[in-house]
Amino acid sequence: MTALTVPTMSLVLLVGTSGSGKSTFAAQHFGRFETLSSDFFRGLVSNDEDDQAATPAAFEALKHVAAQRLRAGLLTVVDATNVQAEARRDFVQLAREHDVLPVAIVLDVPESVCVARNAGRTGRDFGPEVIRRQQGQLRRGLKALGKEGFRRVHVLHGVDEIAAATIVREP
Ligand code: CTP
Ligand code: MG
């Protein structure tokens, strides 16, 4: 079992390709309101979780809610792929503005597993090339996360390590 320490005063970014299990992981380890999902926010602003055109508005709303939560001293988890450095930068900045620690939890799952999982889902009908591109971005991100300002970087390699992980909150 791997215990991942997460400071209570933190902004946690889940990082992983589509199908890596971020939403599943969030549901297992964090409270209902602690997790802000980009899908959910796309739904809120457009009525369609899969409407990629709604992504900018969704993230604007998500960051606004994250800021409100951090101001209230509430641990907050961002459930989005977060595989691009530009996407992560805003959240590191947000954490700093609110004096909380940016933390990354990376779900590093083989491309084949993610592709197979998504094939069985409705609404995740983008092809394997999307997962491949995200995998490439993730690989580059793994080397960069520390320098980007994340104070803790937890990397879970593979399905078994993810299944065995627990979260330990530290005051
Ligand atoms: N899944 C699974 N076993 C796991 C984790 C996930 O079978 N240990 C399945 C889920 O039931 C879901 C799919 O794999 O059907 C994708 O998992 P999800 O948690 O939704 O992945 P995300 O990383 O959240 O994908 P996305 O970025 O597309 O939201
Ligand atoms: Mg998800």
Coordinates of all heavy atoms in Angstrom, one line a residue, residues 21-87:
G21 N -8.3 7.0 -15.1 CA -9.0 6.7 -13.9 C -9.0 7.8 -12.9 O -9.3 7.6 -11.7
K22 N -8.9 9.0 -13.4 CA -8.9 10.2 -12.5 C -10.2 10.3 -11.7 O -10.2 10.5 -10.5 CB -8.6 11.5 -13.2 CG -7.2 11.5 -14.0 CD -7.1 12.8 -14.7 CE -8.1 12.9 -15.8 NZ -8.0 11.9 -16.9
S23 N -11.3 10.3 -12.4 CA -12.6 10.5 -11.8 C -12.9 9.4 -10.8 O -13.5 9.6 -9.8 CB -13.7 10.6 -12.9 OG -13.4 11.7 -13.7
T24 N -12.5 8.2 -11.2 CA -12.7 7.0 -10.3 C -11.9 7.2 -9.0 O -12.4 7.0 -7.9 CB -12.3 5.7 -11.1 OG1 -13.0 5.6 -12.3 CG2 -12.5 4.5 -10.2
F25 N -10.7 7.6 -9.2 CA -9.8 7.8 -8.1 C -10.3 8.9 -7.2 O -10.3 8.8 -5.9 CB -8.4 8.2 -8.6 CG -7.3 8.3 -7.6 CD1 -6.6 7.2 -7.2 CD2 -7.0 9.5 -7.0 CE1 -5.6 7.3 -6.2 CE2 -6.0 9.6 -6.0 CZ -5.3 8.5 -5.6
A26 N -10.8 10.0 -7.8 CA -11.3 11.1 -7.0 C -12.5 10.7 -6.2 O -12.6 11.0 -5.0 CB -11.7 12.3 -7.9
A27 N -13.4 9.9 -6.8 CA -14.6 9.4 -6.1 C -14.2 8.5 -4.9 O -14.9 8.5 -3.9 CB -15.5 8.7 -7.1
Q28 N -13.1 7.8 -5.1 CA -12.7 6.8 -4.0 C -12.1 7.5 -2.8 O -12.2 7.1 -1.7 CB -11.7 5.8 -4.6 CG -12.4 4.7 -5.4 CD -11.4 3.9 -6.2 OE1 -10.2 4.3 -6.3 NE2 -11.9 2.8 -6.8
H29 N -11.4 8.6 -3.1 CA -10.5 9.2 -2.1 C -10.9 10.6 -1.6 O -10.3 11.0 -0.6 CB -9.1 9.3 -2.6 CG -8.5 7.9 -2.9 ND1 -8.1 7.0 -1.9 CD2 -8.3 7.3 -4.1 CE1 -7.7 5.9 -2.5 NE2 -7.7 6.0 -3.8
F30 N -11.8 11.3 -2.3 CA -12.1 12.6 -1.9 C -13.6 12.8 -1.8 O -14.4 12.0 -2.4 CB -11.5 13.6 -2.9 CG -10.0 13.6 -2.9 CD1 -9.3 12.9 -3.9 CD2 -9.2 14.2 -1.9 CE1 -7.9 12.8 -3.9 CE2 -7.8 14.1 -1.9 CZ -7.2 13.4 -2.9
G31 N -14.0 13.8 -1.1 CA -15.4 14.0 -0.8 C -16.1 14.6 -2.1 O -15.5 15.1 -3.0
R32 N -17.4 14.5 -2.0 CA -18.3 14.8 -3.1 C -18.0 16.2 -3.7 O -18.0 16.5 -4.9 CB -19.7 14.7 -2.6 CG -20.8 14.9 -3.6 CD -22.1 14.6 -3.0 NE -23.2 15.3 -3.8 CZ -24.3 15.8 -3.2 NH1 -24.4 15.8 -1.9 NH2 -25.2 16.3 -4.0
F33 N -17.8 17.2 -2.7 CA -17.7 18.6 -3.1 C -16.2 19.0 -3.3 O -15.9 20.1 -3.7 CB -18.4 19.5 -2.2 CG -19.9 19.3 -2.1 CD1 -20.5 18.8 -1.0 CD2 -20.6 19.6 -3.3 CE1 -21.9 18.6 -1.0 CE2 -22.0 19.4 -3.2 CZ -22.6 18.9 -2.1
E34 N -15.3 18.1 -2.8 CA -13.9 18.4 -2.9 C -13.3 18.4 -4.3 O -12.4 19.1 -4.6 CB -13.1 17.5 -2.0 CG -13.3 17.8 -0.5 CD -12.5 16.9 0.4 OE1 -12.3 15.7 0.1 OE2 -12.0 17.3 1.5
T35 N -14.0 17.6 -5.1 CA -13.4 17.4 -6.5 C -14.2 18.3 -7.5 O -15.4 18.2 -7.6 CB -13.6 15.9 -6.9 OG1 -12.9 15.1 -5.9 CG2 -13.0 15.7 -8.2
L36 N -13.4 19.1 -8.2 CA -14.0 19.9 -9.2 C -13.5 19.3 -10.6 O -12.4 19.2 -10.9 CB -13.4 21.3 -9.1 CG -13.7 22.0 -7.8 CD1 -13.1 23.5 -7.8 CD2 -15.1 22.0 -7.4
S37 N -14.5 18.8 -11.3 CA -14.2 18.1 -12.5 C -14.5 18.9 -13.7 O -15.5 19.6 -13.8 CB -15.1 16.8 -12.5 OG -15.6 16.5 -13.8
S38 N -13.6 18.9 -14.7 CA -13.7 19.8 -15.9 C -14.9 19.3 -16.7 O -15.7 20.1 -17.3 CB -12.5 19.7 -16.7 OG -12.1 18.4 -17.0
D39 N -15.2 18.0 -16.6 CA -16.4 17.5 -17.3 C -17.7 18.0 -16.7 O -18.6 18.5 -17.4 CB -16.5 15.9 -17.2 CG -15.6 15.2 -18.2 OD1 -15.4 15.8 -19.2 OD2 -15.3 14.1 -17.9
F40 N -17.7 18.0 -15.4 CA -18.9 18.5 -14.7 C -19.1 20.0 -15.0 O -20.2 20.4 -15.3 CB -18.8 18.3 -13.2 CG -20.0 18.6 -12.5 CD1 -21.1 17.7 -12.5 CD2 -20.1 19.7 -11.7 CE1 -22.3 18.0 -11.8 CE2 -21.3 20.0 -11.0 CZ -22.4 19.2 -11.0
F41 N -18.0 20.7 -15.0 CA -18.1 22.2 -15.3 C -18.5 22.4 -16.8 O -19.2 23.4 -17.1 CB -16.9 22.9 -14.9 CG -16.9 23.3 -13.4 CD1 -16.5 22.4 -12.5 CD2 -17.4 24.5 -13.0 CE1 -16.5 22.7 -11.1 CE2 -17.5 24.8 -11.7 CZ -17.0 23.9 -10.7
R42 N -18.0 21.6 -17.7 CA -18.5 21.7 -19.1 C -20.0 21.5 -19.2 O -20.7 22.2 -19.9 CB -17.8 20.7 -20.0 CG -16.6 21.2 -20.8 CD -16.1 20.3 -21.9 NE -15.5 19.1 -21.3 CZ -14.3 18.9 -21.0 NH1 -13.4 19.9 -21.2 NH2 -13.8 17.8 -20.4
G43 N -20.4 20.5 -18.4 CA -21.9 20.3 -18.3 C -22.6 21.5 -17.8 O -23.7 21.9 -18.3
L44 N -22.1 22.1 -16.7 CA -22.8 23.2 -16.1 C -22.9 24.4 -17.0 O -23.9 25.1 -17.0 CB -22.0 23.7 -14.8 CG -22.0 22.8 -13.6 CD1 -21.2 23.4 -12.5 CD2 -23.5 22.7 -13.1
V45 N -21.9 24.6 -17.8 CA -21.9 25.8 -18.7 C -22.5 25.6 -20.1 O -22.7 26.5 -20.8 CB -20.5 26.5 -18.8 CG1 -20.0 26.9 -17.5 CG2 -19.5 25.6 -19.5
S46 N -22.7 24.3 -20.4 CA -23.2 24.0 -21.8 C -24.2 23.0 -21.9 O -24.7 22.7 -23.0 CB -22.0 23.6 -22.7 OG -21.6 22.3 -22.4
N47 N -24.5 22.3 -20.8 CA -25.5 21.2 -20.8 C -24.8 19.9 -21.5 O -25.6 18.9 -21.7 CB -26.8 21.5 -21.5 CG -27.7 22.2 -20.6 OD1 -27.5 22.3 -19.4 ND2 -28.8 22.7 -21.2
D48 N -23.6 20.0 -21.8 CA -23.0 18.8 -22.5 C -21.5 18.6 -22.0 O -20.6 19.4 -22.3 CB -23.0 19.0 -24.0 CG -22.4 17.9 -24.8 OD1 -21.9 16.9 -24.1 OD2 -22.3 18.0 -26.0
E49 N -21.3 17.6 -21.2 CA -20.0 17.3 -20.6 C -18.9 17.1 -21.7 O -17.7 17.3 -21.4 CB -20.0 16.0 -19.8 CG -20.8 16.2 -18.5 CD -20.5 15.1 -17.5 OE1 -20.3 13.9 -18.0 OE2 -20.5 15.3 -16.3
D50 N -19.3 16.7 -22.9 CA -18.4 16.4 -23.9 C -18.1 17.5 -24.9 O -17.4 17.3 -25.9 CB -18.8 15.1 -24.7 CG -18.9 13.9 -23.7 OD1 -18.0 13.7 -23.0 OD2 -20.0 13.3 -23.7
D51 N -18.8 18.6 -24.7 CA -18.7 19.7 -25.6 C -17.4 20.4 -25.4 O -17.2 21.3 -24.5 CB -19.9 20.7 -25.4 CG -19.8 21.9 -26.4 OD1 -18.9 22.0 -27.2 OD2 -20.7 22.8 -26.2
Q52 N -16.4 20.1 -26.3 CA -15.0 20.6 -26.1 C -15.0 22.2 -26.3 O -14.1 22.8 -25.7 CB -14.0 19.9 -27.0 CG -13.9 18.4 -26.8 CD -13.5 18.1 -25.4 OE1 -12.6 18.7 -24.8 NE2 -14.2 17.1 -24.8
A53 N -16.0 22.7 -27.1 CA -16.0 24.1 -27.3 C -16.3 24.9 -26.0 O -16.1 26.1 -25.8 CB -17.1 24.5 -28.3
A54 N -16.9 24.1 -25.0 CA -17.2 24.7 -23.7 C -16.0 24.7 -22.7 O -16.2 25.2 -21.6 CB -18.4 24.0 -23.1
T55 N -14.9 24.2 -23.2 CA -13.8 24.0 -22.3 C -13.3 25.4 -21.6 O -13.1 25.5 -20.4 CB -12.6 23.3 -23.0 OG1 -13.1 22.0 -23.3 CG2 -11.4 23.2 -22.1
P56 N -13.1 26.4 -22.4 CA -12.6 27.7 -21.8 C -13.6 28.2 -20.7 O -13.2 28.6 -19.6 CB -12.5 28.7 -23.0 CG -12.3 27.8 -24.2 CD -13.1 26.6 -23.9
A57 N -14.9 28.2 -21.0 CA -15.9 28.7 -20.1 C -15.9 27.8 -18.8 O -16.0 28.2 -17.7 CB -17.2 28.8 -20.7
A58 N -15.8 26.5 -19.1 CA -15.8 25.5 -18.0 C -14.6 25.8 -17.0 O -14.8 25.8 -15.8 CB -15.7 24.1 -18.5
F59 N -13.4 26.0 -17.6 CA -12.3 26.2 -16.7 C -12.3 27.5 -16.0 O -11.9 27.6 -14.9 CB -11.0 26.0 -17.5 CG -10.5 24.6 -17.5 CD1 -10.8 23.8 -18.6 CD2 -9.8 24.1 -16.5 CE1 -10.4 22.4 -18.6 CE2 -9.4 22.7 -16.5 CZ -9.7 21.9 -17.6
E60 N -12.9 28.5 -16.7 CA -13.0 29.8 -16.0 C -13.9 29.6 -14.8 O -13.6 30.1 -13.7 CB -13.7 30.8 -17.0 CG -13.6 32.2 -16.5 CD -14.2 33.2 -17.5 OE1 -14.1 33.0 -18.7 OE2 -14.9 34.1 -17.0
A61 N -15.0 28.9 -14.9 CA -15.9 28.7 -13.8 C -15.3 27.8 -12.7 O -15.4 28.1 -11.5 CB -17.2 28.1 -14.3
L62 N -14.6 26.8 -13.2 CA -13.9 25.9 -12.3 C -12.9 26.6 -11.4 O -12.9 26.4 -10.2 CB -13.3 24.7 -13.0 CG -12.7 23.6 -12.3 CD1 -12.6 22.3 -13.1 CD2 -11.3 23.9 -11.7
K63 N -12.1 27.5 -12.0 CA -11.1 28.2 -11.3 C -11.7 29.2 -10.3 O -11.2 29.4 -9.2 CB -10.2 28.9 -12.2 CG -9.2 28.0 -12.9 CD -8.5 28.7 -14.1 CE -7.7 27.6 -14.9 NZ -7.2 28.1 -16.1
H64 N -12.9 29.7 -10.7 CA -13.6 30.6 -9.8 C -14.0 29.9 -8.5 O -13.8 30.4 -7.4 CB -14.7 31.3 -10.5 CG -15.4 32.3 -9.7 ND1 -14.9 33.6 -9.6 CD2 -16.6 32.3 -9.1 CE1 -15.7 34.3 -8.8 NE2 -16.8 33.5 -8.5
V65 N -14.6 28.7 -8.7 CA -15.1 27.9 -7.6 C -13.9 27.5 -6.8 O -13.9 27.5 -5.5 CB -15.9 26.7 -8.1 CG1 -16.3 25.8 -6.9 CG2 -17.2 27.2 -8.8
A66 N -12.8 27.0 -7.4 CA -11.6 26.6 -6.7 C -11.1 27.7 -5.8 O -10.8 27.5 -4.6 CB -10.5 26.2 -7.7
A67 N -11.1 29.0 -6.4 CA -10.6 30.1 -5.6 C -11.5 30.3 -4.4 O -11.0 30.6 -3.3 CB -10.6 31.4 -6.5
Q68 N -12.8 30.2 -4.5 CA -13.7 30.4 -3.4 C -13.5 29.4 -2.3 O -13.5 29.7 -1.1 CB -15.2 30.3 -3.9 CG -15.6 31.3 -4.9 CD -15.9 32.7 -4.2 OE1 -15.8 32.8 -3.0 NE2 -16.1 33.7 -5.1
R69 N -13.2 28.1 -2.8 CA -13.0 27.0 -1.8 C -11.7 27.3 -1.1 O -11.6 27.1 0.2 CB -13.0 25.7 -2.5 CG -14.4 25.3 -3.0 CD -14.2 23.9 -3.7 NE -13.6 22.9 -2.8 CZ -14.2 22.2 -1.9 NH1 -15.5 22.3 -1.8 NH2 -13.5 21.4 -1.1
L70 N -10.6 27.6 -1.8 CA -9.3 27.8 -1.1 C -9.4 29.0 -0.2 O -8.8 28.9 0.9 CB -8.3 28.1 -2.2 CG -8.0 26.9 -3.1 CD1 -6.9 27.2 -4.1 CD2 -7.7 25.6 -2.4
R71 N -10.2 30.0 -0.5 CA -10.4 31.1 0.4 C -11.0 30.7 1.7 O -10.8 31.2 2.7 CB -11.2 32.2 -0.3 CG -11.0 33.6 0.1 CD -11.6 34.6 -0.8 NE -11.0 34.6 -2.1 CZ -11.5 34.8 -3.3 NH1 -12.8 35.0 -3.4 NH2 -10.8 34.8 -4.4
A72 N -11.9 29.7 1.5 CA -12.6 29.1 2.7 C -11.8 28.1 3.4 O -12.2 27.5 4.4 CB -13.9 28.5 2.3
G73 N -10.5 27.8 3.0 CA -9.7 26.9 3.6 C -10.0 25.4 3.4 O -9.7 24.6 4.2
L74 N -10.6 25.2 2.2 CA -11.1 23.8 1.9 C -10.2 23.1 0.9 O -9.9 23.7 -0.2 CB -12.5 23.8 1.4 CG -13.6 24.4 2.3 CD1 -14.9 24.6 1.6 CD2 -13.7 23.5 3.5
L75 N -9.7 21.9 1.2 CA -8.9 21.2 0.3 C -9.7 21.0 -1.0 O -10.9 20.7 -1.0 CB -8.6 19.8 0.9 CG -7.7 18.9 0.0 CD1 -6.6 18.3 0.9 CD2 -8.5 17.8 -0.6
T76 N -9.0 21.2 -2.1 CA -9.7 21.1 -3.4 C -8.9 20.3 -4.4 O -7.7 20.4 -4.4 CB -9.9 22.6 -3.9 OG1 -10.7 23.3 -2.9 CG2 -10.6 22.6 -5.3
V77 N -9.6 19.5 -5.1 CA -9.0 18.6 -6.1 C -9.5 18.9 -7.5 O -10.7 19.1 -7.7 CB -9.4 17.1 -5.8 CG1 -8.8 16.1 -6.8 CG2 -9.0 16.7 -4.4
V78 N -8.6 19.0 -8.4 CA -9.0 19.3 -9.8 C -8.9 18.1 -10.6 O -7.8 17.5 -10.9 CB -8.0 20.4 -10.4 CG1 -8.5 20.7 -11.9 CG2 -8.1 21.7 -9.6
D79 N -10.1 17.6 -11.1 CA -10.1 16.4 -11.9 C -10.3 16.8 -13.4 O -11.4 17.1 -13.9 CB -11.4 15.6 -11.4 CG -11.6 14.4 -12.4 OD1 -10.8 14.1 -13.2 OD2 -12.8 13.8 -12.2
A80 N -9.1 16.9 -14.0 CA -9.0 17.2 -15.4 C -7.7 16.5 -15.9 O -6.9 16.1 -15.0 CB -8.9 18.8 -15.6
T81 N -7.5 16.4 -17.2 CA -6.3 15.7 -17.6 C -5.0 16.3 -17.0 O -4.1 15.6 -16.6 CB -6.2 15.5 -19.1 OG1 -6.2 16.8 -19.7 CG2 -7.3 14.7 -19.6
N82 N -5.0 17.7 -17.1 CA -3.8 18.4 -16.5 C -2.5 17.9 -17.1 O -1.4 18.0 -16.4 CB -3.8 18.4 -15.0 CG -4.9 19.1 -14.4 OD1 -5.2 20.2 -14.8 ND2 -5.6 18.5 -13.4
V83 N -2.5 17.4 -18.3 CA -1.3 16.9 -18.9 C -0.4 18.0 -19.6 O 0.7 17.8 -19.9 CB -1.5 15.8 -20.0 CG1 -2.0 14.5 -19.3 CG2 -2.5 16.2 -21.0
Q84 N -1.0 19.2 -19.8 CA -0.3 20.3 -20.4 C 0.2 21.3 -19.4 O -0.5 21.7 -18.4 CB -1.2 21.1 -21.4 CG -1.7 20.2 -22.5 CD -2.5 20.9 -23.5 OE1 -2.5 22.2 -23.5 NE2 -3.3 20.2 -24.3
A85 N 1.5 21.7 -19.5 CA 2.1 22.6 -18.6 C 1.3 23.9 -18.4 O 1.1 24.4 -17.3 CB 3.5 22.9 -19.0
E86 N 0.8 24.4 -19.6 CA 0.0 25.6 -19.5 C -1.2 25.5 -18.6 O -1.6 26.4 -17.9 CB -0.5 26.1 -20.9 CG 0.6 26.1 -22.0 CD 0.7 24.7 -22.6 OE1 -0.1 24.4 -23.5 OE2 1.6 24.0 -22.2
A87 N -1.9 24.3 -18.7 CA -3.1 24.0 -17.9 C -2.7 24.0 -16.4 O -3.5 24.5 -15.6 CB -3.7 22.7 -18.4

